C-alpha cells in the first residue's frame, strides 16, 4: 500500500465559533472532536499526525484557517460545498457527518479544490461586495421612498433620481409628525 494511502486525512466542518474535526486512515475513524475556532488548538490537533492532509468546505469564515495550516507546512485544501458529492436522499446535515464525509471523500480523491485568493485579492473581493451591497441598499431606499410618497398621493417628478427629483423631495412636508419622521 502506498504511503499516500496510509496518510491520515482530516475533515473539518468549520463554523464561526467551532470546528468539528474528523481524522481517518484507511476508512478507520482515528479521532473525532469539536474544538473552538482557535488556530493554535487546531494546529496542535493536526500536528499529532505528521503528513496529514486536511480538507474543509469554503464558507464565510474565510481563508484564514487554511493559510494558518499551510504556513506551518500542512497539506490543506478547500472545496466548494456545491461540488461535494451527496447520495440521493442524504439530506440530513450535521457537523459530525459533514466532517466525516469530507475526510472520507478527500481520502478517496473525490473532491476538487477551489482557487484560494491571496489576501490582496480577497480584500479586492470584499471591496466589490461592499460596493454592490451599498448599491442595493440605495436602490431599496429609493423604492421605499417612492412607495411612501405614493401612499400619500404624491407623485414624484421625472423618472430619474436627478436634481429635479431631489429638489422636489426637499420641498415635501407632511402634516403629521410620524409621517414627517418616516419621510
Amino acid at each position: 500500500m502506498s504511503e499516500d494511502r496510509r496518510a491520515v486525512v482530516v475533515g473539518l466542518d468549520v463554523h464561526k465559533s467551532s470546528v468539528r474535526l474528523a481524522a481517518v486512515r484507511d476508512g478507520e475513524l482515528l479521532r473525532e472532536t469539536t474544538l473552538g475556532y482557535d488556530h493554535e488548538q487546531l494546529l496542535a490537533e493536526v500536528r499529532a499526525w505528521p503528513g496529514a492532509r486536511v480538507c474543509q468546505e469554503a464558507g464565510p469564515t474565510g481563508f484564514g484557517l487554511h493559510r494558518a495550516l499551510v504556513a506551518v507546512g500542512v497539506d490543506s485544501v478547500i472545496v466548494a460545498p456545491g461540488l461535494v458529492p451527496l447520495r440521493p436522499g442524504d439530506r440530513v446535515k450535521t457537523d459530525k457527518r459533514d466532517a466525516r464525509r469530507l475526510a472520507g471523500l478527500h481520502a478517496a480523491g473525490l473532491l476538487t479544490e477551489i482557487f484560494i485568493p491571496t489576501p490582496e485579492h480577497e480584500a479586492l473581493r470584499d471591496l466589490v461586495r461592499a460596493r454592490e451591497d451599498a448599491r442595493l441598499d440605495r436602490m431599496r431606499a429609493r423604492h421605499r421612498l417612492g412607495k411612501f410618497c405614493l401612499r400619500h398621493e404624491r407623485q414624484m417628478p421625472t423618472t430619474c433620481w436627478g436634481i429635479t427629483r431631489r429638489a422636489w423631495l426637499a420641498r415635501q412636508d407632511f402634516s403629521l409628525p410620524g409621517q414627517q419622521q418616516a419621510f
Side-chain angles (χ1 to χ4, degrees), residues 91-108:
R91 296 182 184 176
V92 178
K93 286 183 59 69
T94 65
D95 296 348
K96 183 188 285 190
R97 279 185 176 186
D98 289 348
R100 283 183 184 180
R101 190 177 78 246
L102 280 173
L105 292 171
H106 188 49

Side-chain angles (χ1 to χ4, degrees), residues 1-72:
M1 192 172 273
S2 72
E3 187 60 36
D4 190 49
R5 298 272 303 150
R6 296 279 309 147
V8 173
V9 179
V10 178
L12 302 176
D13 191 32
V14 183
H15 300 282
K16 70 177 181 179
S17 58
S18 68
V19 177
R20 181 67 181 197
L21 176 143
V24 299
R25 179 179 12 216
D26 294 333
E28 176 189 351
L29 185 63
L30 300 176
R31 176 145 168 81
E32 189 169 39
T33 186
T34 300
L35 308 168
Y37 188 84
D38 177 31
H39 292 190
E40 290 305 317
Q41 188 180 15
L42 182 63
L43 287 171
E45 286 283 337
V46 173
R47 284 187 184 123
W49 303 289
R53 298 182 306 151
V54 177
C55 176
Q56 63 178 313
E57 289 180 335
T61 53
F63 300 105
L65 180 58
H66 169 77
R67 290 186 184 118
L69 290 166
V70 170
V72 296

Side-chain angles (χ1 to χ4, degrees), residues 120-132:
E120 295 79 16
H121 192 197
E122 196 172 3
L124 186 58
R125 281 181 175 183
D126 289 339
L127 180 61
V128 169
R129 285 182 184 127
R131 182 188 182 282
E132 180 64 9

Side-chain angles (χ1 to χ4, degrees), residues 87-180:
R87 290 184 307 229
D90 189 13
R91 296 182 184 176
V92 178
K93 286 183 59 69
T94 65
D95 296 348
K96 183 188 285 190
R97 279 185 176 186
D98 289 348
R100 283 183 184 180
R101 190 177 78 246
L102 280 173
L105 292 171
H106 188 49
L110 297 175
L111 298 176
T112 305
E113 61 184 281
I114 63 167
F115 168 73
I116 308 299
T118 64
E120 295 79 16
H121 192 197
E122 196 172 3
L124 186 58
R125 281 181 175 183
D126 289 339
L127 180 61
V128 169
R129 285 182 184 127
R131 182 188 182 282
E132 180 64 9
D133 289 344
R135 187 188 68 77
L136 291 173
D137 289 345
R138 181 183 68 179
M139 181 181 69
R140 286 186 197 108
R142 286 177 172 178
H143 286 172
R144 279 192 301 271
L145 184 58
K147 288 176 179 43
F148 179 84
C149 288
L150 281 177
R151 277 196 311 273
H152 297 285
E153 299 179 1
R154 298 184 189 202
Q155 185 95 20
M156 283 195 262
T158 71
T159 57
C160 67
W161 285 84
I163 295 171
T164 305
R165 183 174 281 190
R166 290 171 192 259
W168 179 85
L169 286 168
R171 292 190 304 271
Q172 297 308 300
D173 189 33
F174 293 87
S175 57
L176 298 174
Q179 290 174 336
Q180 187 64 36

